[in-house]
Amino acid sequence: MVQTTFKNNPVTLVGNEVKVGDQAPDFQVLANDLSQVTLKDSEGKIRLISVVPSIDTGVCDAQTRKFNEAAAELGDNVIIYTVSMDLPFAQKRWCGAAGIDQVVTVSDHRDASFGEAYGVLIQSLRLLTRSVFVIDAEGKVAYVEYVPEATNHPNYDGAIEAVKALTK
């Protein structure tokens, strides 16, 4: 069971912990146009899934920008998702204002499918805890980071290196 805190207070996460080597669980989230997005939609590509509590906060903003910048060096066979509980309309507005064009923002607000499947749903706050997952083209989990304190930054370099290792 993953132990995490939010603003230094312990929180309970709902769902199962995902580990390196696991087959990545499928999920159903919403794109900015309200269409459904699943893991299978990006089958055959390497996926970097960046999970943030809310796109409109400082660390979440920086995390999304960092992975957007990294996208250029990762190649066309990599898709980067940012998942949050923010409404799709808010994600679309934020991406437009921030100039984010390489990361695909998706919303888990409707039924917390991603949060429960990946064990990142903070039950008491109905937010997702900060985490990063890298999934290979065959759907196997290659990298996992559950950030111990949800308001801290993830290991950007570790996630990016995990993607690069899969593209070789």
Side-chain angles (χ1 to χ4, degrees), residues 11-87:
V11 292
T12 300
L13 298 179
V14 176
N16 296 315
E17 180 180 357
V18 173
K19 297 179 179 168
V20 171
D22 287 353
Q23 194 64 30
D26 202 6
F27 54 81
Q28 295 179 11
V29 292
L30 295 176
N32 292 169
D33 65 1
L34 300 179
S35 63
Q36 184 174 283
V37 176
T38 68
L39 183 66
K40 291 182 184 189
D41 292 339
S42 57
E43 201 168 47
K45 290 195 176 263
I46 297 164
R47 280 72 48 109
L48 187 155
I49 302 177
S50 170
V51 184
V52 299
S54 177
I55 200 87
D56 279 317
T57 61
V59 177
C60 301
D61 176 295
Q63 182 173 334
T64 305
R65 288 176 190 269
K66 175 72 174 173
F67 287 129
N68 190 69
E69 290 169 14
E73 66 186 77
L74 297 178
D76 293 339
N77 198 39
V78 177
I79 186 165
I80 301 174
Y81 291 110
T82 291
V83 184
S84 73
M85 291 297 250
D86 296 300
L87 292 173

Side-chain angles (χ1 to χ4, degrees), residues 10-12 121-127:
V11 292
T12 300
L121 177 61
I122 302 173
Q123 187 173 30
S124 59
L125 301 174
R126 194 162 165 77
L127 293 173

Side-chain angles (χ1 to χ4, degrees), residues 69-167:
E69 290 169 14
E73 66 186 77
L74 297 178
D76 293 339
N77 198 39
V78 177
I79 186 165
I80 301 174
Y81 291 110
T82 291
V83 184
S84 73
M85 291 297 250
D86 296 300
L87 292 173
F89 313 112
Q91 291 176 337
K92 183 176 182 179
R93 176 193 46 76
W94 181 88
C95 286
I100 301 299
D101 57 359
Q102 300 297 310
V103 169
V104 178
T105 56
V106 292
S107 174
D108 200 25
H109 88 93
R110 186 176 57 191
D111 52 14
S113 168
F114 181 89
E116 289 184 16
Y118 285 73
V120 297
L121 177 61
I122 302 173
Q123 187 173 30
S124 59
L125 301 174
R126 194 162 165 77
L127 293 173
L128 304 178
T129 195
R130 188 172 319 283
S131 48
V132 180
F133 303 91
V134 174
I135 301 165
D136 72 15
E138 286 76 44
K140 187 175 281 190
V141 177
Y143 177 89
V144 173
E145 180 186 10
Y146 290 93
V147 180
E149 164 53 49
T151 61
N152 291 343
H153 289 269
N155 179 354
Y156 300 111
D157 292 339
I160 292 166
E161 288 306 313
V163 172
K164 287 180 178 179
L166 294 172
T167 61

